[in-house]
Amino acid sequence: YPRPQLVRAEASWQNLNGLWQYEPGVSAADPAALGRKLSKSVLVPFPVESCLSGVGTTAQFMHYRRQFVLTPRQQQLCSAAVGVRVLLHFGAVDWNATV
C-alpha cells in the first residue's frame, strides 16, 4: 500500500540487488572474505537455496561480496551535508554480518 512519507528521492538511494559473489564457509570462525574475489555467483535478493538465485544449494555459513560506488549525485549529497552517512539495510541476514 502507498506510504508517501517513505518515498525516496531517486538520487538518495541505490538498490544492490543483482549478481553478488559468494562462497560457502566452513565454520563461524572462517575469516571474512575481505579483499578477494569469491569463487561463485548468486542472484540477490533470492536465497542460495532457491533456484531463482542460480545456485539451488545450502550451506550453514556463507560469505557474500558486492562492491559498489556512490553515484556522483550521492557523493555530492554526502559532501554538501555535515554528518551524512551511508546506511546499508540487510533484509535477510540470519544472525551475523560483517561489513
Side-chain angles (χ1 to χ4, degrees):
Y1 55 91
R3 288 188 170 177
Q5 69 273 24
L6 297 179
V7 172
R8 298 180 185 112
E10 185 67 31
S12 68
W13 76 285
Q14 189 175 64
N15 188 329
L16 297 179
N17 288 349
L19 282 178
W20 286 49
Q21 296 172 17
Y22 91 96
E23 203 168 84
V26 177
S27 73
D30 269 359
L34 301 174
R36 68 179 177 88
K37 186 174 180 177
L38 302 182
S39 61
K40 301 177 182 184
S41 294
V42 60
L43 182 59
V44 170
F46 304 107
V48 293
E49 298 86 1
S50 166
C51 290
L52 294 171
S53 71
V55 179
T57 189
T58 187
Q60 187 170 359
F61 303 99
M62 193 71 67
H63 298 285
Y64 285 80
R65 182 173 188 255
R66 169 78 154 78
Q67 293 181 305
F68 67 95
V69 295
L70 298 178
T71 66
R73 178 68 179 138
Q74 290 168 336
Q75 291 175 15
Q76 182 183 28
L77 290 170
C78 287
S79 64
V82 175
V84 172
R85 299 178 295 175
V86 174
L87 175 66
L88 296 174
H89 286 276
F90 293 93
V93 173
D94 189 26
W95 62 271
N96 188 13
T98 302
V99 179

